[in-house]
Amino acid sequence: MRVALATIAVVALLPEMALAGSGDRSARAGTARALAVRPIVLTHTAGRAIVFGRFTSGTLGGTINITSGGTVTRTGEVNFVTGSTTRTDAFSVSGDPGRAFGIVTTSGTVVSGARSMAFTTAPSASRTTIAANGRRTFSVGGRLTVAGNQGVGSYTGTYLATVTYN
């Protein structure tokens, strides 16, 4: 009887032993994903620029400040002449709807011949999100530093605006 029970036990284990692997290898499938999005594109609005206006500087000079919202203040002996206008610069961004991006602008110098004035820039946001329609606009103001008895002339210069997906 013992032999018969032992035989039955061995026969009962044979199907499991036949299905079991060797134990030195195992494999499973992995997953790969990719998501291509619209590239971010920055466009400068045609005809726009930071316009610091027409002014006189006096012997002490001063500054002209234009916020990205268009509010203008001045310091020191800088005085606007009648009919002077100021304006912010403007840009538009297109890209992947709902995606956050950062805005960085540089400082610069405006020159007229050998004369110059330094300026800094201030975008309306340092970080924002592309709207559902795939676009977003922003403005850029700045601060112009005017020397005492600044030389007369028409001054121009450039700065760089950069947008980057976050």
Side-chain angles (χ1 to χ4, degrees), residues 45-151:
T45 303
R48 291 297 294 263
I50 301 173
V51 177
F52 289 104
R54 298 172 66 185
F55 56 88
T56 60
S57 66
T59 57
L60 299 177
T63 63
I64 298 171
N65 300 292
I66 306 172
T67 68
S68 60
T71 302
V72 180
T73 57
R74 61 178 182 74
T75 65
E77 290 185 329
V78 173
N79 292 298
F80 289 109
V81 298
T82 303
S84 179
T85 58
T86 59
R87 184 172 60 196
T88 61
D89 205 350
F91 292 87
S92 65
V93 178
S94 63
D96 192 39
R99 186 159 305 277
F101 68 96
I103 304 167
V104 175
T105 57
T106 62
S107 299
T109 303
V110 290
V111 297
S112 177
R115 296 175 301 276
S116 65
M117 290 181 276
F119 67 92
T120 59
T121 59
S124 53
S126 60
R127 184 174 191 263
T128 190
T129 303
I130 295 175
N133 66 359
R135 301 187 59 77
R136 176 67 67 198
T137 60
F138 67 92
S139 60
V140 178
R143 178 184 178 129
L144 180 69
T145 302
V146 181
N149 298 317
Q150 183 73 46

